Amino acid sequence: MKSAFLKWSLMASVVVITSCNSEKESTSSAEKVPGFDLSSLDSTSKACDDFDSYANGGWKKKNPIPGTESRWGAFGILDKENKEVRLKGIIEEITNLKDRKNGSDEQQIADYYKSFLDTTTVEKRGIEPLKPYLDKIELVQSLKDLASVAGELQKVGVSSVIGFGVEGDLKNSKMNALYEGQDGLSLGEKSYYERTDSSTVKVRNEFVKHVDNMFGFANFKDANPGKTVLDFETKLAKLQLTNVELRDPNKTYNKTSFADFTKLAPDFDLKTFADKQDIKTDTIIVQNVAYVKNMNALLKATPLATLKLYTRWQLLSTFAGYLPKSFDQEDFRFFSTVMRGTKQQRARVERAIRSTDGLLGMPLGKLFSKKYFPEDDKKKVSEMIENVRTVYGERIDKLTWMSDSTKARAHKKLKAFTYKIGYPDKWKDYSSIKIEGDKLFENVIAASLFQNEENVKKIGKPVDKSEWHMTPQTVNAYYNPLNNEVVFPAGILQPPFYNRNADDAINYGGIIAVIGHEFTHGFDDQGSQFDEEGNLKNWWTAADRANFDKLTKKYIDYFSGIEALPGFKINGALTIGENVADLGGLTLAYYALEKSLKGKPEPAPIDGFNWKQRFFLGWAQVWHMNTTDEALRNQVQTDPHAPAKDRINGPLPHLKEFQDAWSCGAGNKMVLPEASRVVIW
C-alpha cells in the first residue's frame, strides 16, 4: 500500500545523501568545496546562448557518467560520497558491536545488511521463498479468488491492476482517508504502450524478452509469457488516465461510500481485495470511476490463465532483487540498462547499503542525524526561509494580474506556511519489525507488513503533521499541500546547495532558490488549488484564476517546444508545476539576495564575476548533469521534472535579471522578446 500521493519534491526520485559537516567531525567537507569551481566553465560557449554549456561544459567533460549510473550530477556525486563513506561507516560500526539488543535500530540495521550480503543463502534458497504465494496463485479458480490473492500480495508491496493508499483528505486535510488509484503497468506510464517510435518499440520488444527470461529462470512452463503480459498491460494502459490528467486534483477526487465503490467492480470483488489488506473504512476517494468499471470489464473478458500468469509476473518482478543472481541481473539488465542506459550494476556491498537505507531509512536516519547534523544549521535555514517568505509577500503585492481580494488570500496562505528542517522531532518505533541475519526475503516481507499496518491504522484518524515523508539523509526537499509545509532534510544542506564558506550569491542561487522552489509549489498550478489549511478549496476570483491559467498555458507551450532528444519533446503540461516552481524559486532568491544587499557596499567581484553573475552560476551548478539518452527518454515520458539542462536554460530567458547580469542582447539565444516572457510570481 502506498502511503502518500501529494508530495512535490525538488527531484523526482529520492536520492539519499549525507548532511553537511558536523562539529563532531575533525575535517569539514564544506571547507574543501569552493563556492564555484572555475574549471566547470567552458569559455568556448556563450553565457547568453547556452548558459548550461557555458557554466557546466568543463564539468561535463571531466565527469562522464559512471557505468553504474544512468545520470550523473550533484545529486549522484553526493550520494556516492554518502554511501561509500558515512552511511557505510555507520553500518560497519554497528555490525562490529558485540552486544545488540534485539529489536534495536542497531540490531535491525546490522542484521538486514548481513542478510543482503549473504548471497550463499539467497542462491541456495532459489525461488523457494516465493512458493507460498505461487501456490495461492495456482489455486485461483475465479476473479474473487484472484482479488483475494492480489490483496494479500499488495499487502507486501506487489502491484495489481488497482492500488490503495492513505493520505490526508484533500477536502478535509486534518483527517486521513483511503484513496484508490490505477496501477499495474510494468513500464510505468501508458505512453510506453502507445508510442510507435523505434526506441519505444525496442523497449517493448526487450520487455517481452525480459519476461520470457525471468519465467525461464523460475522454470515456469508458460508459452510466450512476455507477449501475454505485454498484451494484457497494453489493454490496461488504454483504460488509464495520462500522467498529465492525473495532475488534476479535482478530477481525481471522487469521494464515495465504500459500499458503492465495490459495486463499480462486482466481478473482481473489491471488498475481498481490501479485507486482505486489513482495510476497514466506510468511505474512499476514487481516482477515476470509469477506470474501475472498465478494469472490471477487462478482467472479466480476460482468460483466468492470463490473469494468473500476470500475477506471477508481478510477484517475480517485485522481488527479483532479493532472488538469486540470474533474476537480479536480468532485472537490472532490463529496468536499468534497457530503460535507463545504466551499463554496470553496483557492487553487492553498495547495494546492501542502499537496500538497508531504503528499508530501514528512518532508524538509520536517527543514527545519521545524531552523528552528522549540526544543530546550528536549523537556525540558519530558518532565517533563510523567513527571508523567502518576506520577499514572496512583497512579490504578491506587486502583481498586476491579481486583484486585491485574491492577494489577501495569497498572503493568508503564505503566512500559514510551516516548515521542518533536518530531521524529525520525534522518531517512530520500528522495533516490532523482525529482522534476521539469514532471511533476506522474510526481512523484506516483515518491513512491508509493518508499513501496511502503519498506513491502515491512519485511515479515518487525524493527520500527524509532525510526520516526515523523507529520511534525514535524503538530498531533496518537498512541499506538502495538505499540511501547507515545506520540508528540508539534513541531506540537502551541503554543497553545492548550501556552502557555509561560499559567498551569499552562490548560496542564494543554490539553497535559497531551492527554498523558493518549494514555497512556489504552494502557488503552482496544483498547489494554488489548496487553501491555507491544506484543503482543496478555491480561494481565487474567477478573473484572477483565468489570468493565472493564461500565464501557465503560455509557459506550458514554451516548454513543449523544447526537444530533449530527436522526437522527444518536453511535456510542458506534465512539467508545468516544477517549471513554475523553478521560475518562482529563482525570482524569489534573486530578490531576496538584492534585498539583503541594500544599505551595504556592493560585493566585490569574485574570480571576475559580479554578485549577479555568481547568483546564476550558483543555480547552474546545482543542476549540472550528464544523462544517458535512455534515461532522458524515460524522464521525458514519465517525470514531472524537466531535464537538468532545461531546468537551467529554460527559465533564464524569462528573467530580465539574467539578461542584465550577463549583458545579453536581442540577438542572443537566451533572450526572449518582452511579449514572450512569462512572469507569474
Side-chain angles (χ1 to χ4, degrees), residues 542-553:
D544 290 337
R545 174 55 73 175
N547 288 336
F548 178 78
D549 290 345
K550 184 177 181 180
L551 288 169
T552 56
K553 176 62 168 60

Side-chain angles (χ1 to χ4, degrees), residues 228-241:
T228 301
V229 172
L230 179 63
D231 288 348
F232 175 72
E233 291 191 6
T234 300
K235 293 174 183 176
L236 189 66
K238 290 179 180 178
L239 309 179
Q240 298 194 356
L241 296 176

Side-chain angles (χ1 to χ4, degrees), residues 309-527:
L309 185 153
Y310 170 75
T311 306
R312 277 186 286 131
W313 156 246
Q314 289 289 352
L315 174 69
L316 200 59
S317 183
T318 297
F319 294 111
Y322 309 105
L323 295 176
K325 190 174 183 179
S326 56
F327 296 93
D328 180 41
Q329 288 187 333
E330 173 60 25
D331 183 73
F332 172 83
R333 183 196 71 81
F334 178 72
F335 286 106
S336 295
T337 302
V338 173
M339 292 200 72
R340 292 176 175 82
T342 310
K343 297 180 176 62
Q344 178 184 340
Q345 195 171 29
R346 292 187 179 98
R348 188 78 181 185
V349 169
E350 291 180 37
R351 293 168 57 215
I353 294 168
R354 283 171 168 76
S355 187
T356 304
D357 186 49
L359 206 74
L360 298 167
M362 277 301 183
L364 187 57
K366 186 195 300 185
L367 301 174
F368 175 86
S369 300
K370 184 177 180 180
K371 186 170 184 179
Y372 290 117
F373 184 64
E375 285 298 311
D376 57 353
D377 277 353
K378 278 196 175 185
K379 180 180 178 181
K380 181 65 175 177
V381 176
S382 295
E383 293 173 355
M384 294 175 179
I385 290 172
E386 293 305 332
N387 288 342
V388 170
R389 194 197 305 263
T390 298
V391 171
Y392 214 142
E394 294 172 352
R395 296 289 300 175
I396 290 171
D397 288 336
K398 293 178 181 178
L399 294 176
T400 58
W401 58 266
M402 180 181 280
S403 68
D404 289 343
S405 61
T406 304
K407 285 180 181 180
R409 291 300 301 271
H411 276 292
K412 191 173 183 180
K413 179 169 185 177
L414 181 64
K415 185 178 180 180
F417 264 66
T418 60
Y419 50 85
K420 298 180 182 127
I421 302 167
Y423 58 87
D425 292 327
K426 63 178 182 179
W427 300 91
K428 284 185 181 180
D429 181 6
Y430 291 83
S431 61
S432 63
I433 304 177
K434 186 179 180 181
I435 302 293
E436 300 180 72
D438 60 347
K439 295 182 179 178
L440 175 60
F441 183 83
E442 287 79 1
N443 292 339
V444 175
I445 295 295
S448 297
L449 291 174
F450 175 86
Q451 186 63 57
N452 182 81
E453 183 180 6
E454 285 284 295
N455 289 330
V456 167
K457 285 179 180 177
K458 294 177 183 178
I459 300 173
K461 301 291 177 59
V463 171
D464 179 3
K465 293 201 172 186
S466 68
E467 185 176 10
W468 279 58
H469 300 283
M470 282 182 181
T471 63
Q473 59 270 33
T474 301
V475 59
N476 213 333
Y478 68 88
Y479 171 71
N480 180 357
L482 299 178
N483 286 0
N484 196 24
E485 67 175 358
V486 287
V487 182
F488 302 95
I492 202 166
L493 304 178
Q494 65 170 356
F497 303 96
Y498 170 54
N499 185 343
R500 65 172 53 83
N501 297 305
D503 54 301
D504 284 350
I506 290 294
N507 278 323
Y508 273 79
I511 192 63
I512 301 292
V514 167
I515 292 171
H517 171 103
E518 299 307 336
F519 261 73
T520 306
H521 270 312
F523 299 93
D524 68 16
D525 68 307
Q526 288 180 303

Side-chain angles (χ1 to χ4, degrees), residues 236-278:
L236 189 66
K238 290 179 180 178
L239 309 179
Q240 298 194 356
L241 296 176
T242 66
N243 48 18
V244 173
E245 291 172 321
L246 290 173
R247 288 181 51 79
D248 187 338
N250 281 295
K251 184 176 184 177
T252 55
Y253 184 96
N254 302 284
K255 195 170 187 177
T256 186
S257 70
F258 195 82
D260 285 344
F261 168 65
T262 61
K263 295 175 184 177
L264 298 176
D267 298 289
F268 184 60
D269 196 344
L270 292 167
K271 184 179 184 304
T272 296
F273 182 66
D275 286 345
K276 284 296 181 177
Q277 297 175 65
D278 304 324

Side-chain angles (χ1 to χ4, degrees), residues 50-108:
D50 183 346
F51 194 65
D52 174 49
S53 293
Y54 172 76
N56 297 321
W59 181 91
K60 290 184 179 185
K61 291 175 184 177
K62 295 185 300 178
N63 291 274
I65 304 169
T68 56
E69 310 296 329
S70 62
R71 54 182 181 177
W72 192 236
F75 293 88
I77 291 171
L78 292 174
D79 180 54
K80 181 179 176 65
E81 176 190 341
N82 178 56
K83 296 298 193 306
E84 295 183 0
V85 181
R86 296 184 179 179
L87 292 183
K88 183 179 181 182
I90 290 172
I91 293 172
E92 289 184 343
E93 184 179 326
I94 291 171
T95 58
N96 290 328
L97 292 175
K98 293 183 179 180
D99 297 314
R100 294 190 296 269
K101 183 180 177 181
N102 196 41
S104 66
D105 296 338
E106 290 82 0
Q107 178 267 316
Q108 291 175 321

